[in-house]
Amino acid sequence: MNKRYIISIFLVLSYLDIVIAQDHTLYLNDNASMTTEAGAILHVEGDFHMDTNADLDHTGTMVLQGDWYFESANVDLTASGNPDEQGLIRLMNNYVGNPHNSGTIQRIYAPADMMGNAAFYDLELKNDLGIIELAGGSIEIKNTLNLDGQNQILRTDDGVTTTDGSGDYAHFVRISNPAPTAIIGAANASGATNGYIQGRLQWNTTSGTTYSFPIGVDAKGMQTFDIRTAATSNTILEAAFTADAGGTISLNDCSTDIDCAIHHGWWNIDPIGSNNITSYAVTLKAANVVDDCAGADFTVIKKPDGTGIGSYALEGLDGWDAASSCDLVATTTASVSRHDMNTFSDFSIGATASEVLPVELLSFSGNAEDKWNRLFWETATEVNVSHFEIEKSRDALFFEHIVDVNARGNSNSVLSYDYFDKDLWPLAYYRLRIVDWDGHVEYSETIVLNREDEKNRLSVYPNPVQDELTIAGRISDDGPMQLVLLNAVGMELQNEVIRADASGYFTISMKMDTYPKGQYFIGLFNGNNWEYESLIKTE
């Protein structure tokens, strides 16, 4: 049974370590006050509610494993200049089965943006099992945001945005502390797996200081960028990242043709309010890059907001400063920089003219066979080719290397290759990364092998869905099976008992028009295990 601890007047915690156990909720009622003094630690293993006009005088530490509810924006959390309200809030869901957040997502609920007195002072994310999510309003952090150097994701919306970040983020996280160390645990290195903000991150910056913005999206992970401005006063900068397929461009930098925007995405960077920035330098630190441009050198490119790939342009000079001008980098995994820039919009990475490998690939295809996926390809000619790398992906965005296949050497006749992949996925994308002895790279087209029609596999469509969802599959059990619809926090919304026809197939329809937009899950229980498929509901 879920129990409640209700504070209606006031409570003072001094040099204590108090635990409010799992399944218990802490309420701070209207006009009530709670003080946690320095050295005190309050563990709340349920939810925490702050009612209208509630006052938390917080110098100690609160460890919260459920959700945080601001019942109104009129609460007193970190009044400006009040040393009694400069404590640490740690969001830490470290056990499976917490009924308050289903073990995957912790939420900060607010009816409006939590700014000023209602802002956090120090906020630390230690949700080892999932995502911290804003639901209902934006938040301000006055001192530090600690991402703990782990895979922590602070999402600035309620899950309705797509994994590539292309949706509209209604809320934001604002760091009002202008110190470049205000975000802790966000590594500067390219490809870092540390925590990041999925959505809009705002930071109050000062001139001459370098800031590392940890942003990213599900499809690509963390995508940090560094920026150093020459502003005459503080400027709030806002940034977000969106994954994108790239395309063809036509630019020239340092007497070098830049003809391709890489298959990766863009960093949107804009000042908020007054903009006193006269020039700045930016470094993009891309991770999980699909370099289908096969370029030799790379630089930062920029386009106006909302415009197409072809509108990308160059601004300023290549490199982080004057000493590195026209020093284009040779790999997208390095820091790609430009300086002496003065306007803001969407930024990406452009590649120089593609290198053509001395190999003619006749075909690349595959078959989903009984015990493996068989991949096979043929070349007409090979000159100086080292090897073929087979890469595999679940979404055609982020590929992982699975094996190297040595090339046969120089040849002017047709050569055939194959590989048997025994790690079977319901849906798998494959491509070849062809490497010559000089280190130049070329990619094949991407192919897909679909095994989703096998037994105990679900197919849901359309996805995204607006009104009616069709669920189909093939099951091995002759008896009835349970099918459920869950929302993003694991709450059951519908429950169906299904039976397959004589051939083992089933098809049912499910009405979705009454549900709000967001992420949902279809679950199929076969008597032993659950199988889930994710879907997005739109309006």
Side-chain angles (χ1 to χ4, degrees):
M1 179 179 179
N2 192 313
K3 300 180 178 62
R4 302 181 179 185
Y5 288 86
I6 300 176
I7 300 172
S8 298
I9 304 176
F10 65 88
L11 173 69
V12 178
L13 304 180
S14 178
Y15 301 100
L16 298 174
D17 190 340
I18 296 179
V19 177
I20 296 179
Q22 182 180 353
D23 296 343
H24 291 66
T25 297
L26 178 61
Y27 282 83
L28 195 58
N29 276 355
D30 185 14
N31 293 309
S33 175
M34 183 172 74
T35 299
T36 55
E37 296 183 347
I41 302 175
L42 174 63
H43 297 260
V44 182
E45 296 185 356
D47 296 336
F48 179 53
H49 291 248
M50 288 189 70
D51 208 341
T52 304
N53 298 314
D55 183 9
L56 177 61
D57 294 325
H58 185 54
T59 309
T61 298
M62 177 187 290
V63 181
L64 179 65
Q65 294 186 333
D67 296 331
W68 187 306
Y69 290 83
F70 291 98
E71 303 298 344
S72 82
N74 189 27
V75 297
D76 195 359
L77 187 60
T78 59
S80 178
N82 187 345
D84 293 334
E85 299 178 354
Q86 297 182 357
L88 169 66
I89 305 296
R90 178 179 297 138
L91 300 181
M92 183 177 181
N93 178 13
N94 60 358
Y95 64 90
V96 178
N98 186 339
H100 299 274
N101 54 27
S102 74
T104 56
I105 298 177
Q106 275 182 283
R107 289 182 171 85
I108 300 174
Y109 290 93
D113 293 346
M114 307 306 295
M115 301 288 162
N117 289 359
F120 292 96
Y121 188 76
D122 288 321
L123 181 63
E124 181 179 355
L125 309 187
K126 290 183 70 69
N127 188 326
D128 301 327
L129 302 176
I131 296 170
I132 310 295
E133 188 173 84
L134 304 186
S138 302
I139 63 170
E140 178 186 6
I141 300 168
K142 292 196 171 183
N143 191 40
T144 63
L145 170 63
N146 190 344
L147 299 171
D148 193 44
Q150 302 297 321
N151 294 318
Q152 309 292 336
I153 300 175
L154 178 53
R155 190 162 63 191
T156 67
D157 218 326
D158 55 5
V160 299
T161 53
T162 58
T163 59
D164 64 1
S166 60
D168 294 328
Y169 293 102
H171 314 309
F172 58 83
V173 174
R174 175 176 293 177
I175 310 297
S176 56
N177 180 5
T181 56
I183 300 181
I184 303 169
N188 295 334
S190 173
T193 58
N194 291 9
Y196 61 87
I197 310 299
Q198 178 173 319
R200 297 159 58 197
L201 171 60
Q202 298 181 359
W203 202 339
N204 186 22
T205 64
T206 58
S207 61
T209 303
T210 300
Y211 294 86
S212 292
F213 279 67
I215 55 177
V217 291
D218 290 345
K220 290 291 184 178
M222 183 179 183
Q223 305 295 326
T224 308
F225 74 89
D226 292 351
I227 190 166
R228 182 191 66 227
T229 67
T232 57
S233 62
N234 291 6
T235 299
I236 297 175
L237 291 177
E238 179 179 273
F241 182 84
T242 301
D244 182 69
T248 301
I249 57 177
S250 180
L251 303 171
N252 187 278
D253 190 33
C254 300
S255 301
T256 303
D257 289 334
I258 309 293
D259 67 355
C260 185
I262 65 169
H263 182 165
H264 188 61
W266 65 78
W267 292 256
N268 177 266
I269 309 171
D270 276 308
I272 301 298
S274 176
N275 177 16
N276 298 305
I277 298 175
T278 56
S279 68
Y280 65 91
V282 67
T283 296
L284 307 181
K285 299 179 177 180
N288 304 322
V289 173
V290 178
D291 177 23
D292 47 8
C293 296
D297 294 298
F298 303 87
T299 191
V300 176
I301 56 178
K302 186 170 76 70
K303 67 181 176 71
D305 288 325
T307 56
I309 292 295
S311 64
Y312 272 115
L314 295 169
E315 185 177 297
L317 301 171
D318 187 72
W320 181 247
D321 50 36
S324 56
S325 294
C326 285
D327 184 18
L328 283 78
V329 298
T331 172
T332 56
T333 59
S335 297
V336 183
S337 306
R338 289 189 81 80
H339 67 281
D340 283 351
M341 305 178 77
N342 53 49
T343 63
F344 291 89
S345 61
D346 296 334
F347 300 78
S348 188
I349 297 175
T352 59
S354 303
E355 299 285 341
V356 179
L357 277 177
V359 59
E360 182 182 352
L361 186 66
L362 290 177
S363 64
F364 174 51
S365 56
N367 287 332
E369 299 178 357
D370 184 31
K371 296 181 179 180
W372 46 65
N373 286 343
R374 183 187 174 215
L375 309 175
F376 40 92
W377 63 99
E378 289 185 330
T379 62
T381 60
E382 294 182 18
V383 180
N384 198 33
V385 180
S386 169
H387 62 279
F388 303 90
E389 298 178 5
I390 299 178
E391 297 184 338
K392 186 177 181 181
S393 172
R394 296 183 186 272
D395 56 12
L397 287 173
F398 175 38
F399 284 82
E400 61 184 64
H401 170 270
I402 60 173
V403 71
D404 289 350
V405 177
N406 290 331
R408 305 277 178 80
N410 296 331
S411 172
N412 290 316
S413 59
V414 175
L415 295 175
S416 298
Y417 300 83
D418 61 8
Y419 175 74
F420 297 88
D421 181 16
K422 298 180 181 179
D423 181 14
L424 302 182
W425 298 352
L427 191 70
Y429 297 87
Y430 295 93
R431 68 180 185 184
L432 295 176
R433 186 174 187 266
I434 310 166
V435 184
D436 75 6
W437 287 107
D438 296 323
H440 296 141
V441 173
E442 184 178 86
Y443 286 89
S444 72
E445 64 178 358
T446 298
I447 64 171
V448 59
L449 295 183
N450 190 342
R451 311 180 72 95
E452 290 186 330
D453 61 347
E454 295 181 352
K455 293 184 176 182
N456 295 333
R457 293 295 177 187
L458 283 171
S459 176
V460 296
Y461 56 92
N463 189 6
V465 62
Q466 283 186 316
D467 301 319
E468 187 171 84
L469 182 70
T470 299
I471 307 160
R474 189 180 182 193
I475 54 181
S476 56
D477 195 332
D478 294 332
M481 302 182 74
Q482 185 181 8
L483 189 78
V484 297
L485 172 68
L486 308 174
N487 64 12
V489 298
M491 180 184 298
E492 184 176 295
L493 304 177
Q494 292 192 47
N495 191 318
E496 303 281 348
V497 176
I498 60 172
R499 290 181 181 272
D501 60 20
S503 61
Y505 289 93
F506 74 92
T507 301
I508 67 168
S509 297
M510 186 174 288
K511 290 290 186 180
M512 298 290 295
D513 54 340
T514 59
Y515 296 115
K517 65 180 183 179
Q519 185 178 30
Y520 294 84
F521 297 91
I522 294 293
L524 176 66
F525 185 68
N526 63 10
N528 296 305
N529 299 297
W530 282 97
E531 177 188 352
Y532 294 95
E533 287 291 334
S534 174
L535 65 118
I536 298 296
K537 168 66 168 62
T538 60
E539 293 182 346

